[in-house]
Amino acid sequence: MAALAIASTSCSSGQSADASDLIATVPSDASLVAVANVKAILEKAGCKVDGEKISPSEKISALLSAGKDESSRRLADAFLNGRSGIEPSVAVIFRVGYYTYFSGIAADPSALKKVAESDLGYTFATTEGVETGGNIAIAGNRFWINLGQKSIDPKEVRHFTSLDKASSFASDAAAENLCKFKKDIEGRGSIAGLLNTSSIPFEQRAVIQVALQTLYEDPASFWLSVSFDKGKTEITADIFNSKNSLARYLLPVGTVDTGVISSIGGTADAVAALSLPSKLIEQLKKEASAKGPSVFGVYLNALSAIDGTAAVAFGQDGSALRGVVSVSGQNTAALSSFLSEAGLDVRIDGKTLRISKGELAGKTPVADLAGYFKNSVGGVATSVPQGTPVGMAGLASAGSLTLHPEGNSVSFRAILVSADSDENFLVSLVNAGLGESAPAPTPCK
């Protein structure tokens, strides 16, 4: 995301045309393709962008001067002060096989080479019309960076530039939507393609695929969007099927009651919550019984009294907790016994079971963290724990990962709250990336 922040088909002129040109050099079998509206991202951070010229905001300039990571500081300074020759318009990041590439428009290729030679110590050579130095390649007015690698194959880049429409991502139905710039960053990824080229062990990849196929009908890809805003950034992801439609969510869905979460009271460092309607428990019991006796079936029988919101608030070290479970009011004995045997204190309060363990303490009111779960199926919300490394503390003070109904599907939403509520999140991102000292995070509001 940091790389995207600083660096077709029937698209219109200007930035969309730039995005179209870049997408046309992405192979059709790429497992991930994302487009960043670099101009909008920079302007949100307070920079002024006029053609190829960038004027950093006072805040960004101060961060560049004070950054402790010298190599990152030099590169960021070269880009934000217009020395890199990179056009601050759009950028594309894509993954082919085991390599991830960051590509963009080089308005002044010679300036880009100069910065790479002076700041990175690269030496450029030309092969088949492609200039390469280190992990950077330049061909015409375009550049590619092989992220996380020390080199880049000029023959591979030549292949990118020679693609016709049928063999490039421009032929994909998603290409047109990618250059409409509804968000700061948008991308489409193949679930199987990314898993197969990841470093995740085979057994874990299989578990992930089985879990997705249990939750969604024909999960084939995902659509990702990122928006940098004042005080926060928001990331959303939707699961699509092989027909490029939202994949149907296969389990009964309910929404979390934020009032039930707030009733936990007190302060905490994190809250996990989930909507567990009785029809969900009944469906899971039916599916489990169809497969014969199992330990999972026994647990489901104990959970059959649940009907509504279940939530738990944690302290920083996780040793203490306090929570609430909404129940139907019937057959709660098995559930109470199950929770007690797990080492929890259980108290019946009408149609609610209140659970606790130890003395819960934290820095954020549970009622504040409950706000992240509005209209959600469930998820996790947290404030940044005490003792977090300074860079991360400067990046965010709180965040959440929640699931939300979307038609007959369910989407994922992540929110990160800036440590400085008056600052665009990109500034916080640059702050953390350059290793700048930052004040302690403030409580979530």
Side-chain angles (χ1 to χ4, degrees), residues 31-32 187-191 194 220-224 236-240:
S31 57
L32 172 69
R188 206 282 300 273
S190 163
I191 294 173
L194 288 173
S221 63
F222 63 88
W223 187 275
L224 181 75
T236 60
D238 291 295
I239 305 298
F240 281 73

Side-chain angles (χ1 to χ4, degrees), residues 375-406:
N375 300 323
S376 78
V377 176
V380 179
T382 181
S383 53
V384 174
Q386 300 289 345
T388 299
V390 170
M392 282 301 296
L395 177 60
S397 62
S400 65
L401 175 62
T402 50
L403 292 82
H404 296 259
E406 184 70 29

Side-chain angles (χ1 to χ4, degrees), residues 66-405:
K68 293 180 174 61
D69 185 329
E70 183 64 19
S71 60
S72 295
R73 186 197 64 76
R74 290 200 308 268
L75 287 174
D77 180 66
F79 178 80
L80 292 171
N81 286 319
R83 294 193 295 110
S84 67
I86 296 175
E87 183 174 310
S89 172
V90 299
V92 170
I93 188 169
F94 62 97
R95 185 171 177 83
V96 176
Y98 292 90
Y99 296 109
T100 302
Y101 299 91
F102 175 71
S103 64
I105 306 296
D108 187 349
S110 61
L112 177 57
K113 286 176 56 180
K114 183 177 180 181
V115 166
E117 290 169 343
S118 62
D119 290 22
L120 299 176
Y122 287 172
T123 299
F124 281 81
T126 302
T127 303
E128 298 185 8
V130 178
E131 296 184 275
T132 58
N135 63 340
I136 298 175
I138 303 172
N141 69 337
R142 301 170 195 172
F143 71 91
W144 292 260
I145 301 175
N146 193 2
L147 297 176
Q149 304 297 319
K150 295 182 180 180
S151 62
I152 188 169
D153 186 349
K155 293 182 179 180
E156 185 75 352
V157 174
R158 172 52 61 195
H159 169 64
F160 297 157
T161 63
S162 62
L163 295 171
D164 58 27
K165 184 174 180 179
S167 57
S168 80
F169 196 79
S171 63
D172 194 289
E176 182 175 359
N177 288 328
L178 283 176
C179 57
K180 288 183 177 179
F181 300 113
K182 295 178 182 178
K183 299 291 184 179
D184 294 330
I185 300 173
E186 292 198 77
R188 206 282 300 273
S190 163
I191 294 173
L194 288 173
L195 285 175
N196 290 338
T197 59
S198 72
S199 58
I200 300 174
F202 175 80
E203 294 82 1
Q204 293 181 22
R205 297 204 307 267
V207 169
I208 292 172
Q209 288 182 316
V210 169
L212 284 172
Q213 290 166 3
T214 301
L215 297 174
Y216 293 91
E217 183 179 73
D218 184 27
S221 63
F222 63 88
W223 187 275
L224 181 75
S225 65
V226 182
S227 181
F228 297 105
D229 297 309
K230 184 178 181 180
K232 70 174 183 178
T233 193
E234 184 171 328
I235 304 168
T236 60
D238 291 295
I239 305 298
F240 281 73
N241 58 30
S242 57
K243 297 180 180 179
N244 287 320
S245 299
L246 284 171
R248 184 169 70 90
Y249 192 73
L250 299 175
L251 299 179
V253 172
T255 54
V256 168
D257 186 334
T258 57
V260 170
I261 301 175
S262 297
S263 72
I264 294 175
T267 58
D269 291 316
V271 169
L274 186 64
S275 173
L276 295 170
S278 58
K279 57 184 179 181
L280 171 60
I281 304 296
E282 289 304 313
Q283 178 173 323
L284 293 176
K285 285 174 60 179
K286 185 182 297 185
E287 293 179 358
S289 62
K291 298 177 181 179
S294 66
V295 175
F296 182 55
V298 175
Y299 286 142
L300 285 173
N301 285 330
L303 300 178
S304 60
I306 300 177
D307 185 19
T309 298
V312 179
F314 298 90
Q316 180 177 330
D317 59 8
S319 62
L321 61 85
R322 188 159 62 237
V324 59
V325 181
S326 299
V327 295
S328 61
Q330 299 178 348
N331 302 320
T332 59
L335 178 59
S336 297
S337 176
F338 172 74
L339 295 172
S340 296
E341 290 177 4
L344 301 174
D345 294 325
V346 183
R347 177 171 62 88
I348 300 177
D349 181 11
K351 289 189 175 182
T352 298
L353 292 186
R354 298 196 177 276
I355 59 176
S356 62
K357 180 181 179 181
E359 294 296 325
L360 178 64
K363 67 172 185 173
T364 304
V366 171
D368 287 353
L369 292 172
Y372 289 102
F373 296 93
K374 185 177 181 180
N375 300 323
S376 78
V377 176
V380 179
T382 181
S383 53
V384 174
Q386 300 289 345
T388 299
V390 170
M392 282 301 296
L395 177 60
S397 62
S400 65
L401 175 62
T402 50
L403 292 82
H404 296 259

Side-chain angles (χ1 to χ4, degrees), residues 18-87:
D18 288 342
S20 176
D21 289 343
L22 293 171
I23 287 174
T25 64
V26 176
S28 58
D29 62 350
S31 57
L32 172 69
V33 183
V35 176
N37 188 346
V38 175
K39 183 175 185 293
I41 293 172
L42 290 173
E43 289 176 339
K44 281 187 175 184
C47 300
K48 293 182 180 180
V49 182
D50 182 12
E52 300 167 15
K53 185 178 180 181
I54 306 173
S55 300
S57 65
E58 292 184 5
K59 176 69 174 179
I60 292 288
S61 295
L63 288 174
L64 292 176
S65 299
K68 293 180 174 61
D69 185 329
E70 183 64 19
S71 60
S72 295
R73 186 197 64 76
R74 290 200 308 268
L75 287 174
D77 180 66
F79 178 80
L80 292 171
N81 286 319
R83 294 193 295 110
S84 67
I86 296 175
E87 183 174 310

